[in-house]
């Protein structure tokens, strides 16, 4: 089954053709990063406009790269939640139009389910059940993936998502957008231990996360230094932030493995592009005799290939939509 997938939940206009949930026939990503960088973050109104301008071109390229015509497709999939509502609607409306014109099934896909499914593209042998860490710009969860379409969230952030904290700390440190990747680059030239940052405590749960205190501590150090007219070693503060943030994620995954006894561990979401996090998760899982599955860098950030992978399993489980399909800014991963 060959599915054309469309993703437009944030600042990437993306389309891909995926065969049977596992094989990438094409994967086109048009990033708007350069334009949003001028404003220090994603401007939702600009994102929607650019999606509308680019979507035809991106879908055309995905079909061309796959060597297919639209008529040869078996279904159209689209990210319908969660994300920037105006941005999502561009993809959803386009997908509806295409599905109606071609008379093909329309498959709505949850964005975070897509991030998890990125691993199906990279690891043909990977099948649920498994334990999954999702760390993106908007979400930080530990999820029991019981089947391809059944999810139970066992931990979540109480405040900022990891990626959001990376982006806010990066901005305070004066790094340009996108913050996470630029903070990682700066940290390579810094020294861990020069600054002290707290590990935030979360009441009532061993596994839930909190990242806003960590981000605020970075901002406070910068403000105090400014008041005293002291220089900040931004690289070392970045290195300390990255060290603590990635330690929190790997520590919680370790606890979750011990609590659940999970054998297979999966990581997903944009923050998984971070080298220190990748190393730490690998070490944690190896230390406990577990196998870690983490997407290659090209599938960590937003893309449509991951949406096409998940769409196949949604379709097999009986999920499809009609022309009343809407987009939703928020939606729990376990909702059907
Ligand atoms: O999954 P994603 O592409 O989009 C969402 O669904 O949110 O994640 C984007 C997030 C951003 O916050 C970005 O700063 C972060 O992932 N990120 C990173 C790195 N690359 C992307 N964070 C830390 N280190 C990186 N190398
Ligand atoms: Zn994403």
């Amino acid at each position: 089954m060959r599915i054309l997938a469309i993703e437009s939940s944030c600042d990437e206009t993306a389309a891909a053709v995926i065969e049977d949930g596992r094989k990438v026939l094409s994967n086109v990503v048009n990033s708007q990063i350069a334009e949003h960088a001028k404003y220090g973050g994603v401007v939702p109104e600009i994102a929607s406009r650019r999606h509308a301008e680019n979507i035809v071109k991106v879908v055309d390229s995905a079909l061309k790269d796959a060597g297919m015509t639209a008529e040869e497709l078996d279904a159209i999939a689209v990210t319908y939640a969660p994300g920037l509502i105006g941005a999502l609607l561009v993809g959803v409306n386009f997908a509806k139009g295409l599905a109606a014109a071609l008379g093909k099934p329309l498959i709505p896909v949850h964005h975070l389910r897509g991030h998890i499914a990125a691993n199906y593209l990279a690891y043909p042998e990977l099948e649920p059940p498994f334990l999954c860490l999702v760390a993106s710009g908007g979400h930080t969860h530990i999820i029991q993936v019981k089947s391809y379409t059944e999810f139970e969230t066992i931990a979540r952030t109480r405040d900022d998502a990891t990626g959001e904290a990376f982006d806010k700390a990066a901005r305070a440190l004066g790094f340009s957008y996108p913050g996470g990747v630029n903070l990682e680059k700066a940290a390579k030239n810094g020294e861990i231990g020069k600054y002290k940052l707290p590990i935030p405590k979360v009441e009532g749960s061993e596994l839930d996360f909190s990242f806003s205190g960590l981000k605020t501590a970075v901002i406070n150090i910068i403000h105090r230094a400014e008041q005293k007219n002291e220089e900040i070693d931004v690289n070392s503060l970045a290195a300390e932030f990255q060290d603590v943030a990635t330690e929190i994620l790997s520590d919680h995954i370790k606890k979750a493995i011990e609590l659940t006894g999970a054998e297979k561990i999966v990581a997903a979401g944009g923050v998984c592009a971070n080298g220190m996090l990748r190393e730490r998760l690998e070490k944690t899982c190896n230390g406990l005799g577990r196998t870690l599955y983490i997407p290659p860098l090209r599938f960590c950030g937003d893309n449509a290939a991951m949406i096409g992978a998940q769409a196949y399993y949604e379709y097999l489980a009986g999920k499809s939509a009609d022309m009343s399909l809407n987009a939703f800014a928020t939606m729990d991963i376990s909702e059907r």
Side-chain angles (χ1 to χ4, degrees):
M1 178 176 194
R2 290 183 293 185
I3 299 177
L4 169 76
I6 295 170
E7 153 65 42
S8 69
S9 67
C10 191
D11 60 345
E12 259 97 27
T13 318
V17 180
I18 304 300
E19 190 169 60
D20 296 337
R22 299 277 176 167
K23 192 170 171 206
V24 182
L25 301 185
S26 67
N27 185 26
V28 179
V29 182
N30 181 295
S31 174
Q32 305 170 3
I33 281 177
E35 184 158 14
H36 295 291
K38 286 185 255 173
Y39 305 96
V42 178
V43 182
E45 182 56 27
I46 293 179
S48 315
R49 258 188 269 163
R50 294 295 168 263
H51 286 313
E53 286 163 15
N54 292 332
I55 197 156
V56 173
K57 203 169 53 194
V58 169
V59 167
D60 265 351
S61 306
L63 286 171
K64 199 162 155 246
D65 290 357
M68 288 178 68
T69 62
E71 288 70 25
E72 290 171 314
L73 293 166
D74 295 301
I76 313 297
V78 65
T79 305
Y80 76 126
L84 300 171
I85 190 68
L88 285 166
L89 277 167
V90 175
V92 165
N93 286 329
F94 188 88
K96 278 160 76 170
L98 197 57
L102 296 167
K104 311 273 178 181
L106 174 65
I107 311 167
V109 178
H110 188 285
H111 183 75
L112 294 187
R113 293 189 183 195
H115 270 299
I116 296 170
N119 286 283
Y120 302 142
L121 300 170
Y123 304 103
E125 74 284 12
L126 178 64
E127 286 176 0
F130 50 76
L131 185 73
C132 184
L133 169 71
V134 179
S136 72
H139 300 85
T140 304
H141 291 331
I142 299 176
I143 297 169
Q144 298 254 39
V145 180
K146 297 176 170 176
S147 75
Y148 287 106
T149 53
E150 288 170 291
F151 303 81
E152 186 189 343
T153 303
I154 60 168
R156 59 179 73 234
T157 180
R158 300 277 180 96
D159 39 56
D160 290 356
T162 323
E164 185 183 358
F166 262 93
D167 293 340
K168 287 177 178 168
R171 199 174 170 152
L173 287 162
F175 307 140
S176 58
Y177 175 83
V181 65
N182 287 327
L183 190 149
E184 179 176 17
K185 279 186 199 149
K188 288 196 169 58
N189 301 315
E191 194 186 310
I192 295 171
K194 198 163 164 186
Y195 293 97
K196 267 219 150 355
L197 291 171
I199 295 196
K201 288 234 173 338
V202 178
E203 294 276 318
S205 167
E206 258 196 295
L207 295 181
D208 275 358
F209 302 96
S210 167
F211 286 101
S212 76
L214 185 58
K215 162 208 73 189
T216 307
V218 169
I219 294 170
N220 288 343
I221 290 174
I222 296 168
H223 282 172
R224 273 200 297 275
E226 277 169 0
Q227 279 162 1
K228 292 190 200 158
N229 239 342
E230 282 171 8
E231 281 270 311
I232 282 276
D233 175 356
V234 289
N235 294 339
S236 294
L237 192 44
E240 189 66 27
F241 174 88
Q242 178 177 253
D243 181 53
V244 176
T246 56
E247 180 60 33
I248 293 169
L249 293 173
S250 56
D251 177 55
H252 285 220
I253 272 296
K254 181 164 185 269
K255 285 183 188 142
I257 295 170
E258 286 163 354
L259 272 167
T260 61
E263 286 298 330
K264 283 182 272 184
I265 315 305
V266 170
V271 182
C272 293
N274 185 276
M276 183 175 255
L277 178 62
R278 298 176 81 87
E279 267 172 41
R280 289 215 156 128
L281 290 177
E282 191 72 58
K283 205 167 149 206
T284 301
C285 291
N286 283 347
L288 295 169
R290 290 342 198 248
T291 310
L292 174 71
Y293 300 87
I294 187 164
L297 296 189
R298 68 182 186 287
F299 292 142
C300 285
D302 289 345
N303 64 82
M306 66 187 198
I307 302 303
Q310 180 61 22
Y312 175 69
Y313 295 103
E314 298 287 351
Y315 187 73
L316 291 186
K319 187 167 178 175
S320 65
D322 60 21
M323 288 302 120
S324 65
L325 179 67
N326 203 354
F328 300 91
T330 59
M331 182 185 285
D332 195 88
I333 192 169
S334 59
E335 244 175 81
R336 273 211 57 88

